[in-house]
Amino acid sequence: MGSSFCFLCGCVDQASVGVIERWGRFERLAQPGFHFFNCFVGQCLAGVLSTRIHSLDVRCETKTKDNVFVHLVCSIQYRVVKENADDAFYELANPREQIQVYVFDVVRALVPRMTLDDLFEQKSEVAKAVLEELEKVMGTYGYSIEHILMVDIIPDDTVRKAMNEINAAQRLQLASVYKGEAEKVFLVKKAEAEAEAKYLGGVGVARQRQAITDGLRENILEFSHKVEGTSAKEVMDLIMITQYFDTIKDLGNSSKNTTIFIPHGPGHVRDISDQIRNGMMEASSAQIDQQ
């Protein structure tokens, strides 16, 4: 920026601004276009500044409140203000280095007051604080800070690994809770289904026995009316013998290879009928005693 170019004419590119001096002293700014210079009176083009937006990535290492070292990557977008291009030309020799120093100063003053979790949640606040400080400082030198982005927050590798393990443990714990709740619901529903099945099975057995009782009663009554001179006991014995042989037949037709030893003979049928009759008589006697 300190060199002078003594030409009779010159051209300033678009999105640029020229600095014109006379005998080494700033005279005026030259806008984009073609310009004539009077070399005989010491007029020359001292330099040209670009007014395009420049980007600077600053990587800063600092420590959080919970003693975790992190690397912050900030992206600063800045440009030269056309009206104050002479300040930018003469005041700062290295604006990028100046911006970097102020970013370090703000970040290392603000981040140590935050924990690592707060830093991730409030990174926009850090960028806002850096923007306010740079606007205040760099504005006096003819530079405008357009945007500041907190691109990345990089903790130490061991810290990142520990954070991932904590997150994984929390998710496993939550998954265990959900799995336990699911198993609980499954067991409860299974118990309810078994209870309902047993209830319905009992209802079915009761209906089956009621049907058998009704059928036996109808058979006894019908047989007594059609065959004169037969008693209810004789009819009951005949039915018991019939059911006995039906049972033997069903056991013989079973497809399973199971051997069952049972006493067999006509006298056993009489024993069964006697047992049933005695049970009915005892039940009737118990009812009479209770009355």
Side-chain angles (χ1 to χ4, degrees), residues 61-263:
E61 183 181 11
T62 185
K63 185 179 73 170
T64 61
K65 186 177 181 180
D66 47 355
N67 297 322
V68 178
F69 284 90
V70 294
H71 290 270
L72 279 74
V73 181
C74 302
S75 179
I76 295 94
Q77 298 176 357
Y78 65 98
R79 70 192 307 170
V80 174
V81 181
K82 291 183 179 182
E83 294 77 9
N84 300 326
D86 54 328
D87 293 333
F89 186 80
Y90 291 106
E91 297 293 336
L92 285 180
N94 192 341
R96 298 173 67 89
E97 183 178 351
Q98 188 78 5
I99 292 174
Q100 185 174 353
V101 169
Y102 279 102
V103 171
F104 286 170
D105 181 67
V106 175
V107 168
R108 288 174 178 170
L110 184 61
V111 172
R113 298 199 296 265
M114 300 179 178
T115 62
L116 183 60
D117 293 336
D118 292 339
L119 179 59
F120 277 100
E121 293 175 359
Q122 303 176 17
K123 65 178 184 178
S124 59
E125 298 297 327
V126 178
K128 182 179 179 182
V130 175
L131 176 61
E132 292 176 353
E133 183 67 20
L134 287 179
E135 283 182 339
K136 181 174 61 176
V137 174
M138 298 303 295
T140 60
Y141 299 123
Y143 285 90
S144 172
I145 307 300
E146 301 295 327
H147 299 286
I148 291 183
L149 302 175
M150 192 64 63
V151 178
D152 202 0
I153 300 174
I154 308 173
D156 188 76
D157 291 339
T158 55
V159 176
R160 282 189 293 176
K161 184 178 179 181
M163 292 174 65
N164 291 334
E165 290 178 354
I166 292 173
N167 191 12
Q170 291 176 347
R171 292 183 180 276
L172 288 175
Q173 182 181 6
L174 185 61
S176 300
V177 173
Y178 285 148
K179 183 178 179 181
E181 291 293 333
E183 291 178 353
K184 175 183 176 182
V185 173
F186 174 75
L187 294 176
V188 169
K189 293 300 181 182
K190 182 179 179 181
E192 292 177 354
E194 291 178 354
E196 185 69 17
K198 290 180 180 179
Y199 170 76
L200 295 177
V203 173
V205 171
R207 290 178 178 176
Q208 180 184 16
R209 291 177 179 176
Q210 182 66 35
I212 293 173
T213 303
D214 294 340
L216 290 174
R217 183 177 64 253
E218 292 177 0
N219 289 334
I220 292 172
L221 294 174
E222 184 178 0
F223 194 87
S224 299
H225 290 306
K226 290 184 178 180
V227 180
E228 297 181 358
T230 58
S231 63
K233 178 181 180 301
E234 293 174 346
V235 176
M236 190 68 180
D237 290 340
L238 179 60
I239 293 174
M240 292 296 294
I241 292 173
T242 304
Q243 289 185 347
Y244 178 79
F245 284 110
D246 290 340
T247 303
I248 298 298
K249 180 179 178 181
D250 292 337
L251 291 175
N253 294 332
S254 177
S255 61
K256 297 181 179 180
N257 296 324
T258 303
T259 303
I260 301 176
F261 295 94
I262 59 174

Side-chain angles (χ1 to χ4, degrees), residues 233 272-290:
K233 178 181 180 301
I272 295 173
S273 62
D274 291 340
Q275 292 177 7
I276 294 175
R277 183 175 62 255
N278 292 334
M280 295 177 63
M281 292 175 64
E282 290 176 359
S284 300
S285 177
Q287 291 179 357
I288 294 173
D289 293 339
Q290 289 178 358

